[in-house]
Short mmCIF file of all heavy atoms in Angstrom, two decimals:
data_model
loop_
_atom_site.label_atom_id
_atom_site.label_comp_id
_atom_site.label_asym_id
_atom_site.label_seq_id
_atom_site.Cartn_x
_atom_site.Cartn_y
_atom_site.Cartn_z
N ASP A 192 -11.14 -28.68 6.05
CA ASP A 192 -9.97 -28.80 6.90
C ASP A 192 -10.12 -28.04 8.18
O ASP A 192 -9.58 -28.44 9.21
CB ASP A 192 -8.73 -28.28 6.11
CG ASP A 192 -7.44 -28.49 6.86
OD1 ASP A 192 -7.40 -29.31 7.78
OD2 ASP A 192 -6.44 -27.77 6.55
N GLY A 193 -10.84 -26.97 8.16
CA GLY A 193 -11.04 -26.19 9.38
C GLY A 193 -10.72 -24.73 9.15
O GLY A 193 -10.48 -24.26 8.05
N THR A 194 -10.71 -23.96 10.24
CA THR A 194 -10.44 -22.53 10.19
C THR A 194 -9.16 -22.24 10.96
O THR A 194 -8.97 -22.71 12.07
CB THR A 194 -11.61 -21.74 10.81
OG1 THR A 194 -12.81 -22.01 10.04
CG2 THR A 194 -11.31 -20.24 10.78
N TYR A 195 -8.27 -21.46 10.34
CA TYR A 195 -6.98 -21.19 10.92
C TYR A 195 -6.75 -19.70 11.08
O TYR A 195 -7.31 -18.90 10.32
CB TYR A 195 -5.87 -21.73 10.01
CG TYR A 195 -5.82 -23.26 9.94
CD1 TYR A 195 -6.73 -23.97 9.14
CD2 TYR A 195 -4.87 -23.97 10.65
CE1 TYR A 195 -6.68 -25.33 9.07
CE2 TYR A 195 -4.82 -25.35 10.58
CZ TYR A 195 -5.74 -26.05 9.79
OH TYR A 195 -5.69 -27.43 9.71
N VAL A 196 -5.95 -19.33 12.04
CA VAL A 196 -5.46 -17.96 12.15
C VAL A 196 -4.42 -17.80 11.04
O VAL A 196 -3.59 -18.67 10.83
CB VAL A 196 -4.81 -17.69 13.51
CG1 VAL A 196 -4.31 -16.23 13.59
CG2 VAL A 196 -5.80 -17.98 14.66
N THR A 197 -4.50 -16.71 10.29
CA THR A 197 -3.53 -16.47 9.21
C THR A 197 -2.15 -16.15 9.81
O THR A 197 -1.97 -16.11 11.04
CB THR A 197 -3.95 -15.32 8.30
OG1 THR A 197 -3.92 -14.09 9.03
CG2 THR A 197 -5.34 -15.58 7.75
N SER A 198 -1.20 -15.83 8.96
CA SER A 198 0.13 -15.46 9.40
C SER A 198 0.10 -14.11 10.12
O SER A 198 1.06 -13.78 10.85
CB SER A 198 1.09 -15.36 8.19
OG SER A 198 0.68 -14.29 7.34
N LEU A 199 -0.99 -13.33 9.94
CA LEU A 199 -1.14 -11.98 10.48
C LEU A 199 -0.02 -11.05 10.01
O LEU A 199 0.28 -10.05 10.64
CB LEU A 199 -1.17 -12.00 12.03
CG LEU A 199 -2.29 -12.84 12.64
CD1 LEU A 199 -2.21 -12.76 14.18
CD2 LEU A 199 -3.65 -12.42 12.16
N ASP A 200 0.58 -11.40 8.89
CA ASP A 200 1.59 -10.56 8.26
C ASP A 200 0.96 -9.23 7.88
O ASP A 200 -0.19 -9.16 7.40
CB ASP A 200 2.18 -11.28 7.03
CG ASP A 200 3.17 -10.42 6.31
OD1 ASP A 200 4.31 -10.35 6.78
OD2 ASP A 200 2.82 -9.87 5.22
N SER A 201 1.71 -8.13 8.03
CA SER A 201 1.16 -6.81 7.79
C SER A 201 0.69 -6.64 6.36
O SER A 201 -0.36 -6.03 6.11
CB SER A 201 2.18 -5.74 8.12
OG SER A 201 3.37 -5.87 7.33
N GLN A 202 1.39 -7.18 5.41
CA GLN A 202 1.03 -7.04 4.03
C GLN A 202 -0.33 -7.74 3.74
O GLN A 202 -1.17 -7.21 3.04
CB GLN A 202 2.08 -7.62 3.08
CG GLN A 202 1.79 -7.35 1.61
CD GLN A 202 3.00 -7.63 0.72
OE1 GLN A 202 4.03 -8.04 1.18
NE2 GLN A 202 2.82 -7.41 -0.56
N LEU A 203 -0.50 -8.90 4.37
CA LEU A 203 -1.76 -9.62 4.22
C LEU A 203 -2.93 -8.86 4.85
O LEU A 203 -3.97 -8.69 4.22
CB LEU A 203 -1.62 -11.01 4.89
CG LEU A 203 -2.86 -11.93 4.83
CD1 LEU A 203 -3.11 -12.40 3.42
CD2 LEU A 203 -2.66 -13.12 5.77
N LEU A 204 -2.72 -8.36 6.02
CA LEU A 204 -3.80 -7.62 6.72
C LEU A 204 -4.15 -6.32 6.03
O LEU A 204 -5.32 -5.92 5.99
CB LEU A 204 -3.37 -7.34 8.18
CG LEU A 204 -3.13 -8.56 9.03
CD1 LEU A 204 -2.76 -8.13 10.44
CD2 LEU A 204 -4.35 -9.47 9.11
N LEU A 205 -3.18 -5.67 5.43
CA LEU A 205 -3.43 -4.39 4.79
C LEU A 205 -4.05 -4.53 3.41
O LEU A 205 -4.43 -3.56 2.77
CB LEU A 205 -2.14 -3.58 4.72
CG LEU A 205 -1.72 -2.98 6.06
CD1 LEU A 205 -0.30 -2.44 5.99
CD2 LEU A 205 -2.69 -1.90 6.54
N GLU A 206 -4.14 -5.78 2.93
CA GLU A 206 -4.88 -6.02 1.66
C GLU A 206 -6.31 -5.52 1.77
O GLU A 206 -6.91 -5.07 0.79
CB GLU A 206 -4.83 -7.51 1.29
CG GLU A 206 -3.53 -7.98 0.67
CD GLU A 206 -3.57 -9.43 0.33
OE1 GLU A 206 -4.66 -10.04 0.42
OE2 GLU A 206 -2.51 -9.98 -0.02
N ALA A 207 -6.89 -5.68 2.96
CA ALA A 207 -8.27 -5.22 3.15
C ALA A 207 -8.37 -3.72 2.96
O ALA A 207 -9.33 -3.22 2.38
CB ALA A 207 -8.74 -5.60 4.56
N MET A 208 -7.37 -2.97 3.46
CA MET A 208 -7.36 -1.52 3.25
C MET A 208 -7.26 -1.17 1.79
O MET A 208 -7.94 -0.30 1.26
CB MET A 208 -6.21 -0.89 4.01
CG MET A 208 -6.21 0.63 3.93
SD MET A 208 -4.62 1.42 4.14
CE MET A 208 -3.86 1.09 2.53
N SER A 209 -6.39 -1.90 1.06
CA SER A 209 -6.23 -1.67 -0.38
C SER A 209 -7.53 -1.91 -1.11
O SER A 209 -7.88 -1.16 -2.02
CB SER A 209 -5.12 -2.57 -0.90
OG SER A 209 -4.94 -2.37 -2.28
N PHE A 210 -8.26 -2.94 -0.69
CA PHE A 210 -9.56 -3.25 -1.33
C PHE A 210 -10.54 -2.12 -1.13
O PHE A 210 -11.22 -1.66 -2.07
CB PHE A 210 -10.11 -4.55 -0.70
CG PHE A 210 -11.48 -4.94 -1.20
CD1 PHE A 210 -11.60 -5.56 -2.47
CD2 PHE A 210 -12.61 -4.71 -0.48
CE1 PHE A 210 -12.86 -5.95 -2.91
CE2 PHE A 210 -13.85 -5.07 -0.92
CZ PHE A 210 -13.98 -5.69 -2.17
N VAL A 211 -10.58 -1.55 0.06
CA VAL A 211 -11.51 -0.46 0.36
C VAL A 211 -11.08 0.82 -0.42
O VAL A 211 -11.91 1.52 -0.96
CB VAL A 211 -11.52 -0.17 1.88
CG1 VAL A 211 -12.31 1.13 2.17
CG2 VAL A 211 -12.16 -1.35 2.63
N VAL A 212 -9.77 1.10 -0.46
CA VAL A 212 -9.29 2.30 -1.14
C VAL A 212 -9.65 2.26 -2.64
O VAL A 212 -9.88 3.31 -3.25
CB VAL A 212 -7.75 2.43 -0.99
CG1 VAL A 212 -7.16 3.45 -1.93
CG2 VAL A 212 -7.45 2.83 0.46
N ASP A 213 -9.78 1.08 -3.24
CA ASP A 213 -10.14 0.94 -4.61
C ASP A 213 -11.52 1.52 -4.91
O ASP A 213 -11.86 1.79 -6.05
CB ASP A 213 -10.07 -0.51 -5.07
CG ASP A 213 -8.69 -0.98 -5.30
OD1 ASP A 213 -7.78 -0.14 -5.51
OD2 ASP A 213 -8.41 -2.20 -5.30
N PHE A 214 -12.36 1.70 -3.87
CA PHE A 214 -13.68 2.26 -4.06
C PHE A 214 -13.71 3.77 -3.91
O PHE A 214 -14.79 4.35 -3.79
CB PHE A 214 -14.65 1.61 -3.07
CG PHE A 214 -15.02 0.21 -3.39
CD1 PHE A 214 -14.34 -0.86 -2.81
CD2 PHE A 214 -16.00 -0.08 -4.33
CE1 PHE A 214 -14.63 -2.16 -3.10
CE2 PHE A 214 -16.30 -1.41 -4.62
CZ PHE A 214 -15.65 -2.44 -4.03
N HIS A 215 -12.53 4.40 -3.91
CA HIS A 215 -12.48 5.85 -3.73
C HIS A 215 -13.22 6.59 -4.83
O HIS A 215 -13.33 6.10 -5.95
CB HIS A 215 -11.03 6.34 -3.71
CG HIS A 215 -10.41 6.40 -5.07
ND1 HIS A 215 -10.01 5.29 -5.74
CD2 HIS A 215 -10.20 7.43 -5.92
CE1 HIS A 215 -9.51 5.60 -6.92
NE2 HIS A 215 -9.63 6.90 -7.06
N ARG A 216 -13.73 7.74 -4.50
CA ARG A 216 -14.36 8.65 -5.48
C ARG A 216 -13.26 9.58 -6.01
O ARG A 216 -12.24 9.81 -5.31
CB ARG A 216 -15.48 9.47 -4.87
CG ARG A 216 -16.58 8.62 -4.24
CD ARG A 216 -17.72 9.55 -3.74
NE ARG A 216 -17.20 10.68 -2.96
CZ ARG A 216 -17.03 10.65 -1.67
NH1 ARG A 216 -17.24 9.54 -0.98
NH2 ARG A 216 -16.58 11.73 -1.04
N ASP A 217 -13.48 10.16 -7.16
CA ASP A 217 -12.49 11.07 -7.74
C ASP A 217 -12.16 12.23 -6.79
O ASP A 217 -11.03 12.70 -6.79
CB ASP A 217 -12.98 11.63 -9.08
CG ASP A 217 -12.88 10.55 -10.18
OD1 ASP A 217 -12.19 9.56 -9.99
OD2 ASP A 217 -13.48 10.79 -11.25
N ASP A 218 -13.13 12.68 -6.01
CA ASP A 218 -12.86 13.84 -5.17
C ASP A 218 -12.06 13.48 -3.90
O ASP A 218 -11.71 14.34 -3.09
CB ASP A 218 -14.18 14.56 -4.76
CG ASP A 218 -15.14 13.65 -4.03
OD1 ASP A 218 -14.83 12.46 -3.84
OD2 ASP A 218 -16.21 14.10 -3.61
N THR A 219 -11.75 12.20 -3.73
CA THR A 219 -10.90 11.82 -2.59
C THR A 219 -9.45 11.54 -3.03
O THR A 219 -8.62 11.26 -2.17
CB THR A 219 -11.43 10.55 -1.89
OG1 THR A 219 -11.42 9.43 -2.80
CG2 THR A 219 -12.84 10.73 -1.38
N VAL A 220 -9.18 11.64 -4.31
CA VAL A 220 -7.82 11.40 -4.77
C VAL A 220 -6.83 12.39 -4.15
O VAL A 220 -5.70 12.04 -3.77
CB VAL A 220 -7.74 11.50 -6.33
CG1 VAL A 220 -6.30 11.35 -6.77
CG2 VAL A 220 -8.56 10.37 -6.95
N LEU A 221 -7.26 13.65 -4.00
CA LEU A 221 -6.39 14.64 -3.34
C LEU A 221 -6.04 14.22 -1.92
O LEU A 221 -4.89 14.41 -1.47
CB LEU A 221 -7.07 16.01 -3.32
CG LEU A 221 -6.92 16.85 -4.60
CD1 LEU A 221 -7.81 18.07 -4.53
CD2 LEU A 221 -5.47 17.28 -4.80
N GLU A 222 -6.98 13.64 -1.22
CA GLU A 222 -6.73 13.20 0.16
C GLU A 222 -5.75 12.01 0.16
O GLU A 222 -4.85 11.94 1.01
CB GLU A 222 -8.03 12.82 0.86
CG GLU A 222 -8.95 14.01 1.06
CD GLU A 222 -10.26 13.64 1.76
OE1 GLU A 222 -10.43 12.44 2.04
OE2 GLU A 222 -11.08 14.53 1.99
N LEU A 223 -5.89 11.12 -0.79
CA LEU A 223 -4.97 9.97 -0.89
C LEU A 223 -3.56 10.46 -1.22
O LEU A 223 -2.57 9.97 -0.68
CB LEU A 223 -5.44 9.00 -1.98
CG LEU A 223 -6.78 8.27 -1.71
CD1 LEU A 223 -7.20 7.47 -2.93
CD2 LEU A 223 -6.69 7.37 -0.49
N LEU A 224 -3.47 11.41 -2.14
CA LEU A 224 -2.16 11.99 -2.49
C LEU A 224 -1.54 12.72 -1.27
O LEU A 224 -0.31 12.63 -1.08
CB LEU A 224 -2.29 12.98 -3.68
CG LEU A 224 -2.37 12.34 -5.05
CD1 LEU A 224 -2.83 13.39 -6.06
CD2 LEU A 224 -1.04 11.75 -5.47
N ALA A 225 -2.35 13.36 -0.48
CA ALA A 225 -1.83 14.07 0.71
C ALA A 225 -1.25 13.08 1.68
O ALA A 225 -0.18 13.31 2.27
CB ALA A 225 -2.94 14.88 1.36
N VAL A 226 -1.93 11.93 1.88
CA VAL A 226 -1.39 10.91 2.76
C VAL A 226 -0.10 10.34 2.21
O VAL A 226 0.87 10.13 2.92
CB VAL A 226 -2.42 9.79 2.97
CG1 VAL A 226 -1.83 8.64 3.79
CG2 VAL A 226 -3.67 10.32 3.67
N ARG A 227 -0.07 10.12 0.90
CA ARG A 227 1.13 9.60 0.26
C ARG A 227 2.28 10.60 0.43
O ARG A 227 3.44 10.23 0.65
CB ARG A 227 0.84 9.33 -1.20
CG ARG A 227 1.99 8.62 -1.93
CD ARG A 227 1.60 8.20 -3.35
NE ARG A 227 2.86 7.95 -4.08
CZ ARG A 227 3.14 8.42 -5.26
NH1 ARG A 227 2.28 9.22 -5.87
NH2 ARG A 227 4.30 8.15 -5.83
N ARG A 228 1.98 11.92 0.32
CA ARG A 228 3.01 12.93 0.44
C ARG A 228 3.59 12.96 1.86
O ARG A 228 4.76 13.30 2.05
CB ARG A 228 2.42 14.31 0.09
CG ARG A 228 3.37 15.46 0.33
CD ARG A 228 2.87 16.74 -0.26
NE ARG A 228 1.46 17.00 0.01
CZ ARG A 228 0.97 17.51 1.17
NH1 ARG A 228 1.81 17.78 2.16
NH2 ARG A 228 -0.31 17.74 1.30
N ILE A 229 2.79 12.59 2.85
CA ILE A 229 3.30 12.51 4.24
C ILE A 229 4.18 11.28 4.44
O ILE A 229 5.25 11.37 5.04
CB ILE A 229 2.09 12.49 5.22
CG1 ILE A 229 1.36 13.80 5.18
CG2 ILE A 229 2.57 12.20 6.63
CD1 ILE A 229 -0.01 13.77 5.83
N LEU A 230 3.73 10.14 3.91
CA LEU A 230 4.40 8.87 4.24
C LEU A 230 5.60 8.53 3.31
O LEU A 230 6.62 8.03 3.80
CB LEU A 230 3.39 7.72 4.16
CG LEU A 230 2.24 7.77 5.15
CD1 LEU A 230 1.29 6.57 4.92
CD2 LEU A 230 2.75 7.73 6.61
N GLU A 231 5.44 8.79 1.99
CA GLU A 231 6.45 8.31 1.09
C GLU A 231 7.80 8.97 1.23
O GLU A 231 8.85 8.32 1.13
CB GLU A 231 5.96 8.34 -0.35
CG GLU A 231 6.85 7.58 -1.32
CD GLU A 231 6.18 7.19 -2.59
OE1 GLU A 231 5.03 6.74 -2.55
OE2 GLU A 231 6.79 7.37 -3.64
N PRO A 232 7.88 10.30 1.42
CA PRO A 232 9.18 10.90 1.64
C PRO A 232 9.91 10.29 2.86
O PRO A 232 11.14 10.14 2.84
CB PRO A 232 8.86 12.38 1.87
CG PRO A 232 7.62 12.58 1.09
CD PRO A 232 6.81 11.32 1.29
N ALA A 233 9.16 10.00 3.92
CA ALA A 233 9.77 9.36 5.10
C ALA A 233 10.35 7.98 4.73
O ALA A 233 11.43 7.62 5.15
CB ALA A 233 8.75 9.23 6.21
N ALA A 234 9.58 7.23 3.95
CA ALA A 234 10.06 5.90 3.51
C ALA A 234 11.30 6.04 2.63
O ALA A 234 12.22 5.23 2.71
CB ALA A 234 8.96 5.18 2.77
N THR A 235 11.31 7.04 1.76
CA THR A 235 12.45 7.27 0.86
C THR A 235 13.71 7.62 1.67
O THR A 235 14.80 7.14 1.38
CB THR A 235 12.11 8.42 -0.12
OG1 THR A 235 10.91 8.05 -0.85
CG2 THR A 235 13.25 8.61 -1.11
N ALA A 236 13.53 8.44 2.71
CA ALA A 236 14.67 8.79 3.58
C ALA A 236 15.19 7.54 4.29
O ALA A 236 16.40 7.35 4.36
CB ALA A 236 14.26 9.86 4.58
#
Side-chain angles (χ1 to χ4, degrees):
D192 186 19
T194 299
Y195 292 79
V196 180
T197 66
S198 65
L199 302 181
D200 177 77
S201 60
Q202 186 167 2
L203 180 69
L204 297 181
L205 287 168
E206 281 180 9
M208 185 205 76
S209 180
F210 177 78
V211 172
V212 166
D213 283 340
F214 287 96
H215 76 283
R216 303 184 311 272
D217 285 345
D218 59 358
T219 63
V220 175
L221 276 171
E222 294 179 0
L223 295 174
L224 279 167
V226 174
R227 187 173 163 231
R228 175 169 45 81
I229 294 165
L230 297 178
E231 191 159 316
T235 304

